[in-house]
Amino acid sequence: MSAAAGRGARVTRGVVVMLPAGLMLLLGAWGIRRQGAIWRDEAVTYDMAHRSLADLGATLLHVDVVHGLYYALMHLWFAGYDVTLRGALGDAVGLRLPSVVAMTVAAVGVALLGERLVGRRAGLCAGCTFALIPVVQQYAQEGRSYATVCALVVWASYLLVLAAARPRRGLWVGYTALMLVACLLHEFASLALPAHGAAVVLARLPRRVLRAWLLCAVTTLAGLAPLAVFSTRQSAQISWLMWPDPVQLLTFAVLAVLGVACARVRVRSRGPIGLRALAVPLLLLPTLLLLLLSHVEPAYVDRYVLYYVVGFALLAGAALARLLRPVGESGQTRGRRLRWAVTAGLVPVVLLPVNVHLRSPDSRVDDVTAIAHALGEVAEPGDGLLFMPSRRRIWRATLPHEFRGLHDLALVKSPSASHTLYGTERSGDVIRDRMLATRRIVVAGDPDGQPVDDNDQEIAKRSTLRTAFTICHTVQVRGARITVYGRPGACGGGG
């Protein structure tokens, strides 16, 4: 190869990497503040990451151990961010910036995977397709672990493809390390292993490759086992899960159907693991296995297996590259390919309203920032405060100053002091007595239509408000209802 040709090849590969990375970074940065809105899961991340490592470790013994590694990493991130960037960028950006970076790294990995499996044009299309998927943009702007897990699975898949072509110990060790870290960040990353195993089997690789992969998979699961066993003690945390969200199921179904359709487009794979052998199992198996598990115990949420979209991006990118390939052909064929290209170009335009919505406060189940501000506006110093249910106490984590001067009537130990997420509350009888001794109470609770808790504390709160208080004022906020209750004659001045 001449020097000029070598330079040309390097530039081409640079475009394959840089264009998807730049697109993902741009889409991740677009509207990252979301008007300052933070939702409850992000508030949990913020609270846990700002505890000392000793307090964090003590808390994980009781709750949320499955996210422990992520919280520890975010603790280290905020230790630097709060000193250098928080004043200029704010808490919302600090929560989400690591996820934006992780998704950018994932987009690069998808592009390189597509290049390795099919070619550079396919890699470029796959990386850009990945960045344009709405659910990818959603979790790129989420202060949780899912973007990082997705990036780790992408790069583990890339090392698997490399190791299948040229088996080396270093590649297998790297694959195992990436998969283990992904699983420690979220246990359901382990569902990528069956997809990888299916790819090895479908590719009909030599037995030594299969044995090497099996050793890596067993090592990964062995490393995950202590966390998985311990986390079963905290399984009540996902008791809120019911049957899968229809919108999430529809999203998966649409991507699965489109991905399988793209798999029918003929492309020539470049290595021992073919495009379909890897992408189709990665697209289908993790979600189907999680749905199967949900028949035993509800466990399906799309973000738990977010990396399934990588399979779709690879298949769609390869199909698009094939349709756009400039080869000698008839006018009819060129016209058909032009129509496909125009259709593909219109997809981002059609998805624009969805992407705009994802960057609004209304795109999440609640808005912790708006709730705190609304409560601060209606409350008066000395008012009592109740969270109904108690787990909504997380709403005060990011803006505690909005709650100053209010008396949390149910709280006996704060979340950090009790090493819990939401603090511990007094008995129902004590809560009732404290409520009856208070003239005005501000209640931060769920909106109408949400299931209610039937423990002693929540029953005492509801019954006492109903029998001894009248409603002075109500404010509806995204995902919450702020209500001021008063004893007879106490609704004046702010009511």
Side-chain angles (χ1 to χ4, degrees):
M1 178 184 293
S2 67
R7 285 194 299 272
R10 287 194 294 272
V11 169
T12 303
R13 190 171 196 192
V15 172
V16 170
V17 172
M18 295 305 297
L19 189 56
L23 180 61
M24 187 70 254
L25 190 60
L26 177 65
L27 292 173
W30 170 33
I32 188 173
R33 282 191 173 89
R34 211 159 58 237
Q35 300 176 33
I38 294 172
W39 80 289
R40 68 181 70 143
D41 278 13
E42 292 181 305
V44 172
T45 297
Y46 184 89
D47 178 36
M48 297 290 274
H50 282 84
R51 299 187 187 190
S52 69
L53 289 178
D55 286 341
L56 176 59
T59 303
L60 295 176
L61 293 176
H62 302 95
V63 66
D64 240 11
V65 69
V66 293
H67 298 296
L69 177 58
Y70 176 69
Y71 293 149
L73 293 175
M74 289 298 287
H75 174 88
L76 298 176
W77 159 253
F78 274 116
Y81 178 85
D82 287 346
V83 174
T84 58
L85 297 174
R86 181 175 182 268
L89 300 180
D91 291 328
V93 175
L95 274 167
R96 296 164 190 152
L97 197 55
S99 293
V100 173
V101 173
M103 277 304 192
T104 301
V105 172
V108 171
V110 171
L112 292 178
L113 255 178
E115 178 197 30
R116 186 76 188 185
L117 292 171
V118 181
R120 289 181 177 171
R121 186 179 291 107
L124 177 62
C125 292
C128 291
T129 298
F130 176 82
L132 291 171
I133 299 173
V135 72
V136 169
Q137 296 178 43
Q138 176 181 348
Y139 291 108
Q141 294 187 346
E142 194 103 313
R144 298 296 279 174
S145 64
Y146 309 110
T148 305
V149 171
C150 183
L152 289 167
V153 172
V154 167
W155 282 93
S157 303
Y158 183 67
L159 291 185
L160 175 66
V161 171
L162 294 182
R166 298 185 63 184
R168 294 178 182 175
R169 180 176 298 179
L171 293 175
W172 289 119
V173 170
Y175 169 80
T176 305
L178 291 177
M179 282 305 305
L180 179 57
V181 174
C183 292
L184 293 176
L185 283 170
H186 200 281
E187 292 177 2
F188 287 134
S190 59
L191 295 179
L193 290 172
H196 289 163
V200 172
V201 171
L202 290 173
R204 299 181 180 179
L205 298 174
R207 288 187 178 180
R208 62 190 179 93
V209 175
L210 177 59
R211 285 195 299 267
W213 175 82
L214 284 172
L215 178 60
C216 293
V218 170
T219 302
T220 300
L221 294 176
L224 175 63
L227 174 64
V229 171
F230 187 84
S231 67
T232 58
R233 304 178 187 178
Q234 302 175 2
S235 58
Q237 272 193 268
I238 58 172
S239 60
W240 58 271
L241 285 174
M242 304 299 286
W243 184 243
D245 185 316
V247 175
Q248 295 181 6
L249 279 180
L250 179 62
T251 300
F252 166 69
V254 169
L255 292 181
V257 170
L258 292 176
V260 171
C262 290
R264 296 174 60 85
V265 177
R266 292 183 180 181
V267 296
R268 180 179 298 176
S269 296
R270 301 174 64 183
I273 293 184
L275 171 71
R276 297 184 189 89
L278 176 66
V280 173
L282 197 56
L283 170 62
L284 301 178
L285 278 183
T287 300
L288 293 179
L289 290 173
L290 189 56
L291 285 171
L292 187 63
L293 177 62
S294 293
H295 282 283
V296 179
E297 181 177 349
Y300 178 79
V301 182
D302 62 348
R303 58 183 179 266
Y304 292 173
V305 287
L306 176 63
Y307 48 85
Y308 82 86
V309 299
V310 175
F312 170 77
L314 291 171
L315 292 167
L320 185 59
R322 171 72 179 179
L323 292 169
L324 296 177
R325 187 177 63 173
V327 295
E329 54 194 11
S330 66
Q332 183 179 8
T333 304
R334 282 197 300 272
R336 184 169 64 250
R337 293 193 175 185
L338 180 60
R339 288 193 295 273
W340 274 104
V342 171
T343 301
L346 288 175
V347 168
V349 178
V350 173
L351 292 176
L352 184 60
V354 177
N355 293 329
V356 171
H357 172 71
L358 290 175
R359 289 158 176 84
S360 72
D362 292 342
S363 64
R364 303 319 195 260
V365 298
D366 59 7
D367 181 351
V368 172
T369 305
I371 293 168
H373 288 325
L375 189 143
E377 290 175 0
V378 302
E380 297 178 353
D383 282 350
L385 173 65
L386 288 176
F387 292 95
M388 296 176 61
S390 62
R391 58 183 173 273
R392 298 299 175 248
R393 191 169 282 107
I394 194 60
W395 286 338
R396 68 176 298 167
T398 59
L399 292 172
H401 61 274
E402 295 284 359
F403 298 80
R404 287 176 186 163
L406 305 179
H407 303 297
D408 194 329
L409 301 176
L411 186 67
V412 62
K413 264 190 176 181
S414 69
S416 58
S418 61
H419 302 308
T420 62
L421 292 181
Y422 315 119
T424 55
E425 295 196 337
R426 297 175 167 87
S427 68
D429 289 339
V430 175
I431 292 174
R432 183 180 297 107
D433 292 341
R434 288 171 64 85
M435 291 174 65
L436 293 175
T438 306
R439 292 184 70 252
R440 278 176 34 118
I441 298 175
V442 181
V443 175
D446 285 339
D448 291 333
Q450 296 299 308
V452 296
D453 290 4
D454 288 328
N455 57 52
D456 178 55
Q457 291 89 343
E458 299 302 325
I459 291 174
K461 295 174 190 176
R462 291 196 299 269
S463 63
T464 306
L465 289 172
R466 184 171 57 251
T467 58
F469 289 81
T470 58
I471 295 177
C472 302
H473 185 58
T474 298
V475 177
Q476 298 288 343
V477 193
R478 175 67 181 172
R481 181 176 58 185
I482 310 299
T483 306
V484 179
Y485 288 85
R487 300 281 277 165
C491 284

